[in-house]
């Protein structure tokens, strides 16, 4: 796999304390959340968790990429919604991995156009580019 060269326009900075059972905050103070493992993984589930944060970031980023593609194709994506489901589990040989499902509702276009827009957004989205070849990402129109 070739490492992508990026002309950096913005850098986000966040720091975690105590890993999955602590706190994560951005350097500008706009994000400051308690993180705890979910009950399904033996934690308290009292705070958010890295998978929820990843799902939030991926869905927002993908929605932005969808907007870029839609403008290029002059497609109407008004009222659209993008949901990211991030799965966490063990991988063969030890360690842990993620799966991602991106589901989008684009009510102003037909299903074939929606699928085409999703595929093209998947090529543009920085999260998709970062995970390509490493994380199983499934796309669907809802």
């Amino acid at each position: 796999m070739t490492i992508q060269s990026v002309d950096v326009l913005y850098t986000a900075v966040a720091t975690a304390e105590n890993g999955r059972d602590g706190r994560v905050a951005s350097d500008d103070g706009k994000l400051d959340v308690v993180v705890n493992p979910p009950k399904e993984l033996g934690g308290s589930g009292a705070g958010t968790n890295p998978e929820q944060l990843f799902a939030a970031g991926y869905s927002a980023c993908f929605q932005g990429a969808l907007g870029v593609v839609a403008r290029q194709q002059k497609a109407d994506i008004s009222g659209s919604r993008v949901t990211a489901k991030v799965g966490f589990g063990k991988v063969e040989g030890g360690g842990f991995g993620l799966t991602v499902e991106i589901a989008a509702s684009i009510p102003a276009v037909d299903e074939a156009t929606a699928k085409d827009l999703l595929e093209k957004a998947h090529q543009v989205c920085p999260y998709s580019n970062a995970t390509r070849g490493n994380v199983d990402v499934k796309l669907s129109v809802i």
Side-chain angles (χ1 to χ4, degrees):
M1 181 196 308
T2 303
I3 295 178
Q4 187 177 38
S5 176
V6 177
D7 181 15
V8 176
L9 301 173
Y10 167 75
T11 300
V13 179
T15 302
E17 298 172 2
N18 297 321
R20 289 182 153 279
D21 208 0
R23 176 179 165 260
V24 176
S26 61
D27 65 335
D28 63 4
K30 292 181 181 179
L31 177 71
D32 191 341
V33 294
V34 171
V35 290
N36 301 114
K39 290 181 180 183
E40 296 85 346
L41 297 178
S44 70
T48 189
N49 59 66
E51 292 71 37
Q52 287 177 330
L53 294 169
F54 188 73
Y58 204 156
S59 62
C61 190
F62 200 94
Q63 179 81 42
L66 185 61
V68 168
V69 170
R71 281 189 295 281
Q72 291 171 346
Q73 295 195 341
K74 297 181 178 25
D76 181 5
I77 63 162
S78 59
S80 65
R81 296 173 58 122
V82 174
T83 300
K85 294 180 182 180
V86 175
F88 171 89
K90 294 181 179 180
V91 296
E92 191 176 316
F96 299 92
L98 301 174
T99 62
V100 176
E101 294 178 32
I102 300 288
S105 169
I106 312 173
V109 300
D110 61 65
E111 187 171 351
T113 301
K115 286 181 180 179
D116 182 59
L117 289 169
L118 283 186
E119 288 294 335
K120 288 179 176 163
H122 190 44
Q123 298 307 310
V124 172
C125 177
Y127 276 64
S128 293
N129 288 332
T131 59
R132 196 172 330 284
N134 298 307
V135 175
D136 182 24
V137 178
K138 294 183 178 149
L139 305 175
S140 64
V141 174
I142 51 175

